Amino acid sequence: MPLHLVWDWNGTVLNDFEIILRSTNDSFGDHGLAPITAEQYRTQIKMPIRSFYADILGHEPTDEEWEGLDSTFHKYYVAYERQARLSDGLPDLFRDWAGRGHSQSLLSMYHDDKLVPVVGHHGIAHHFALVQGTTPPRPARKAEHLADHLRRLRMEPSRVVLIGDSPDDAAAARSVGARVILYSGGFAAAASLRATGAPIADSLIAAVAMIEELGAAEEA
């Protein structure tokens, strides 16, 4: 049976961890906050992002603090993002997946008006049935965003596998009845990924291979 693969963008398709960390610390500097290390980021990052900022600040951010941090982060990220490259194995994996008769799409919590141009910049938009970022009012978590994505595609969740790099991806997939494989080369700490109980792959090549193994097991 043909499957549908939903790819996460930041940290999964786009290898942009260093760009994210640099943008975060530049933003923190603008707001008088100390920089954090890569290990701190991987350990502390959580969804919704406002909760991450609450941990950094030591209190729930006011609307003004939240909007300021979010705005300056995106200012720096947009300035740096085209320095990032696609993750290892791409775009060959996109072509191979489609060549086996399957479909795929791209779903991100990144702003849609920024996501679409940068996907186009990397020359990969034609591989996807749908490229979807967020639009106001932005969802706090990926679960409702994924549900909307599958509605737009008219896709049965039992045919869907999500490849992402965070516990939020695992929660989103399970909330709609889809399967998930987590990629350990992205943003979240290994312990956070293991705590989800989801299958974990150390490369995108391995992640796609795991999907095919799951499909073969179901057919057996």
Side-chain angles (χ1 to χ4, degrees), residues 2 7 22 42 49 92 95 97 110 112 116 130 144 153 156 158 182 188 205 211:
W7 295 90
R22 191 197 320 172
R42 291 184 191 278
I49 291 293
D92 290 347
R95 288 190 288 265
W97 181 256
Y110 192 29
D112 192 75
V116 172
L130 176 63
E144 58 189 284
L153 290 166
E156 171 57 45
S158 63
L182 297 179
I205 294 170
I211 295 173

Side-chain angles (χ1 to χ4, degrees), residues 105-143:
S105 57
L106 191 148
L107 181 69
S108 174
M109 297 296 284
Y110 192 29
H111 299 183
D112 192 75
D113 61 347
K114 297 181 176 69
L115 173 69
V116 172
V118 76
V119 172
H121 167 75
H122 287 281
I124 57 174
H126 64 283
H127 292 291
F128 306 115
L130 176 63
V131 173
Q132 184 181 355
T134 58
T135 56
R138 297 180 65 208
R141 295 186 180 276
K142 203 164 192 172

Side-chain angles (χ1 to χ4, degrees), residues 18-36:
E18 295 301 327
I19 300 298
I20 291 274
L21 182 63
R22 191 197 320 172
S23 301
T24 298
N25 281 331
D26 285 354
S27 174
F28 283 179
D30 285 357
H31 293 273
L33 300 172
I36 60 175

Side-chain angles (χ1 to χ4, degrees), residues 27-98:
S27 174
F28 283 179
D30 285 357
H31 293 273
L33 300 172
I36 60 175
T37 65
E39 182 178 358
Q40 287 173 308
Y41 187 98
R42 291 184 191 278
T43 302
Q44 292 184 254
I45 188 63
K46 64 177 68 174
M47 294 293 172
I49 291 293
R50 189 162 178 161
S51 298
F52 167 65
Y53 286 139
D55 287 351
I56 297 296
L57 293 169
H59 63 265
E60 182 63 29
T62 64
D63 288 345
E64 183 178 2
E65 287 175 320
W66 157 244
E67 290 166 7
L69 284 162
D70 188 57
S71 176
T72 52
F73 167 80
H74 281 99
K75 176 187 74 174
Y76 286 114
Y77 183 79
V78 168
Y80 301 146
E81 68 177 339
R82 296 197 179 191
Q83 299 172 25
R85 297 290 178 263
L86 299 180
S87 294
D88 290 347
L90 302 176
D92 290 347
L93 284 172
F94 300 147
R95 288 190 288 265
D96 292 348
W97 181 256

